[in-house]
Amino acid sequence: MGKAIVHMTARELLESYASKRLSPVEVVKAMFERIDAVNPTINAIYHLDYDRAMAQASASEKRWLAGAPVGLLDGIPTTVKDALPCKDMPMYRGSAANKAEWATTDHSTVARIKAHNAVIMGKNTMCDYGILGGGVSSRHGVTRNPWQTDYNTGASSSGSGATVAAGMGPFAIGTDIVGSIRLPASFCGLVGHKPTQGRVPYYFPNSPALAAGPMARNVSDAALLMRVLSEPDPRDFTALPYDNVDYLEALDGLDIKRKKALYIPSLGLGPAVDTEVASAMDNAVKSLRDAGLEIAVLEKEPFATEDYKVAEAFYKIRCLTEFDTLPESDKVKSPLINNWTSTGKDMTAVALYQAYNALQRLRERTAQLIAGYDFLLLPTVASLPFKAELAAADESELFHPWLYTFLFNLSQQPAASVPCGFSSHGLPIGMQIVGPRYNDLEVLQLVKTFENCRGFDLEFP
C-alpha cells in the first residue's frame, strides 16, 4: 500500500479521500516513511516538520470524513523550496554563506497552498542563490537524480524536482529566473511550467525575470496546482489581473488542428545540441505533427554564442548585489558563487546599463520568434543530465545549462517542459513548449495533447 500511495497523483489522492479509501493521515505518514527511506540517498529535503504536518493531516481527515473538505488541495502533502519563505521554517537560499533566516510570513505561493489546505512537510534543497545549473549546494550538499543517483537533477529547483520524481510528494512549487523550473523538470522527467511573468503572484517581486510555477509528474496535477498558485495576492503590485482560469478543467480544450508551431532544433547558443536530445525532439515533433499540429522548422539558428554573454552579466550582477553584502569570511563558504561573481566587481555603471540595453534587444528578438505561430518547440536543455557532483557539465561555463531556457524569462513568455524521451542511459529528456505572452492555458493544453500522443508512459523510480 505504501508504494502505491507514494506514486499516486494529487488528483488520485483527492479522489481516494472523497471515496474514503484513503485518509490524509495515512497518506502523510506514508510520505514521511518514503522520505526516511529515500531522502538519505537523494538529499532533496533538508528540513522536516513532522508534528505540524501530522496535525494538518488530522484536521484534513476530519473535514473529509464530514464530507466538507476546504480548498482544492485539502490533505495533499508537499514541500517548499528553500528560496520561498514559509512561516516558522528556515531559509538559506542554498548557501553556506547565509545564516538561517526563520520566516515570519509566507511567500505568495506558500500562502496560496496553505489557503487550500495542502500539508507542508518541510523544505527542499536548492543550489546556491538559485543560479547554478546543477543540484549542488554549499549548504545542502549534492541532490541526486532519483532516476539514476550518479546523475544531476538540474537546478535551482533541484530538491523540488527530485522530491516529486522520487514519490515524496505529488507536486511542488518551483521558482524560475533562468530556467529553474524547466531544467530540473527535464532532468527528472516532470512537467514543469514557468508562467507568464505576473500570472502567479510573487512577493517580493525582486526581478522582472523571476516567476513561480508548478512541478508535477503529469500535466493534470500541474494544472491543478497552477489554478491555486495563480490566485491573487494584493501584496504583489506587479502581478497581472487575476484570470480566474480553471486550468485543469480546460486542459482538453485545444483544437490542435487550428494551431501552428515553430520547431527550433538549435538556438545557436553554446555547445551543440546532444544527438540523443535532438533525436528525442525529432520524435516528439513527429508525434505532434501526426496528431494534427502544423509545424514549421526554423533552419537557421536565430542566435550566436556571444548573445548570452550580456544575459550572464545581468544575472551575475544580480547575484553579486546580494552576495557582496556578506562578510568576506562567509563568502568563501560559497566558493563557486564567490569565484563567479568576482569578475562582476569591475563592471562600471555605464557598462551595466549598456548591457541592460543589449539585454532588451535580446528580449525583443526572442519575443519576435513566435510571430505568426501559436507555439515554439525546442529542447529544454541542450545536454543530457551530467554527473551529480557538478554545477554544470563544464564548470568553467556555469551559465551553459540555462542557454535554452533563460531567453523566455527575458521575454516573459509562458514556457513548459514535458518529458519527450529517454537517453540510452535511461535518463529523461524534456521538450520545451513556449507560448505567446499571457497564454499559459494553451501551453498547458499542448502539453496535455503531447502526453496523449507521445506513445509512452513514465514509470517513476
Side-chain angles (χ1 to χ4, degrees):
M1 174 61 73
K3 183 177 181 181
I5 288 174
V6 301
H7 285 96
M8 291 172 71
T9 67
R11 293 183 69 207
E12 289 168 340
L13 290 174
L14 290 170
E15 290 167 3
S16 73
Y17 295 163
S19 66
K20 298 181 172 55
R21 288 182 291 110
L22 290 173
S23 79
V25 169
E26 63 183 311
V27 167
V28 174
K29 280 184 178 177
M31 291 298 174
F32 276 115
E33 290 171 1
R34 179 69 168 173
I35 291 168
D36 288 343
V38 174
N39 195 58
T41 299
I42 66 172
N43 187 36
I45 301 170
Y46 72 88
H47 174 81
L48 291 173
D49 195 355
Y50 182 86
D51 291 342
R52 199 189 313 263
M54 291 310 302
Q56 292 171 352
S58 179
S60 176
E61 180 179 71
K62 292 175 182 176
R63 290 190 292 271
W64 279 105
L65 288 174
V70 177
L72 297 175
L73 309 177
D74 202 341
I76 300 298
T78 190
T79 46
V80 173
K81 184 176 176 178
D82 187 11
L84 299 175
C86 182
K87 192 174 179 180
D88 298 323
M89 291 190 187
M91 180 172 65
Y92 298 96
R93 292 183 45 73
S95 176
N98 289 28
K99 294 178 173 60
E101 179 182 343
W102 288 84
T104 56
T105 58
D106 290 323
H107 186 268
S108 302
T109 55
V110 176
R112 298 289 77 71
I113 65 171
K114 281 187 175 181
H116 284 266
N117 282 302
V119 176
I120 298 176
M121 300 183 294
K123 296 291 294 280
N124 286 125
T125 59
M126 65 177 280
C127 66
D128 292 60
Y129 300 102
I131 199 62
L132 303 177
V136 295
S137 162
S138 60
R139 167 66 60 180
H140 306 304
V142 176
T143 299
R144 298 179 178 275
N145 195 320
W147 291 90
Q148 290 190 35
T149 56
D150 288 343
Y151 287 90
N152 216 286
T153 54
S156 69
S157 304
S158 49
S160 302
T163 293
V164 176
M168 298 188 293
F171 56 52
I173 304 164
T175 65
D176 192 312
I177 192 171
V178 274
S180 300
I181 290 172
R182 291 158 288 160
L183 175 54
S186 179
F187 282 6
C188 293
L190 306 177
V191 172
H193 180 63
K194 181 203 77 70
T196 299
Q197 184 70 25
R199 177 67 68 213
V200 169
Y202 197 112
Y203 187 80
F204 185 77
N206 58 25
S207 170
L210 179 60
M215 303 175 72
R217 293 194 289 271
N218 63 31
V219 72
S220 296
D221 274 6
L224 171 64
L225 183 55
M226 180 68 182
R227 180 181 174 188
V228 170
L229 298 182
S230 62
E231 291 181 350
D233 182 340
R235 294 177 297 174
D236 184 359
F237 53 91
T238 68
L240 295 174
Y242 178 43
D243 60 357
N244 197 24
V245 171
D246 188 335
Y247 291 94
L248 178 59
E249 183 69 25
L251 265 187
D252 292 314
L254 184 69
D255 184 354
I256 191 174
K257 294 181 180 179
R258 299 174 64 89
K259 301 297 178 180
K260 296 194 298 183
L262 178 65
Y263 173 32
I264 306 176
S266 173
L267 285 172
L269 296 170
V273 175
D274 184 275
T275 56
E276 292 191 78
V277 173
S279 177
M281 280 297 307
D282 288 343
N283 290 336
V285 167
K286 182 180 184 303
S287 296
L288 284 171
R289 188 176 277 134
D290 290 346
L293 182 63
E294 182 182 338
I295 302 176
V297 180
L298 186 62
E299 302 291 352
K300 183 180 179 182
E301 295 176 335
F303 300 102
T305 295
E306 59 267 19
D307 286 323
Y308 82 81
K309 292 297 183 181
V310 292
E312 184 176 21
F314 167 78
Y315 287 110
K316 184 179 293 186
I317 296 300
R318 179 186 182 274
C319 188
L320 176 63
T321 300
E322 177 179 358
F323 190 68
D324 211 37
T325 61
L326 301 174
E328 293 296 328
S329 58
D330 287 335
K331 291 180 186 178
V332 295
K333 299 173 184 177
S334 183
L336 284 171
I337 298 298
N338 198 23
N339 293 337
W340 184 63
T341 58
S342 63
T343 59
K345 292 182 179 181
D346 297 329
M347 196 171 191
T348 65
V350 170
L352 180 60
Y353 197 76
Q354 288 172 338
Y356 170 78
N357 285 332
L359 203 68
Q360 289 294 86
R361 289 189 288 272
L362 185 61
R363 178 185 178 192
E364 179 187 31
R365 289 167 60 194
T366 301
Q368 288 173 344
L369 286 173
I370 206 167
Y373 298 95
D374 301 291
F375 305 103
L376 302 177
L377 308 174
L378 67 160
T380 306
V381 194
S383 66
L384 296 172
F386 40 90
K387 288 296 184 178
E389 295 79 9
L390 299 176
D394 176 359
E395 288 194 334
S396 68
E397 295 285 358
L398 290 180
F399 203 71
H400 274 184
W402 309 116
L403 293 181
Y404 277 64
T405 52
F406 82 93
L407 290 167
F408 307 108
N409 294 82
L410 301 182
S411 66
Q412 302 185 343
Q413 292 170 256
S417 182
V418 56
C420 67
F422 289 88
S423 74
S424 56
H425 289 91
L427 295 165
I429 296 170
M431 171 173 64
Q432 191 171 191
I433 298 175
V434 181
R437 199 172 174 192
Y438 311 121
N439 203 345
D440 293 83
L441 176 58
E442 287 197 351
V443 170
L444 292 170
Q445 287 175 329
L446 188 59
V447 172
K448 175 63 171 176
T449 300
F450 180 66
E451 283 188 348
N452 291 341
C453 73
R454 67 186 168 192
F456 65 88
D457 292 320
L458 278 75
E459 296 183 7
F460 284 88

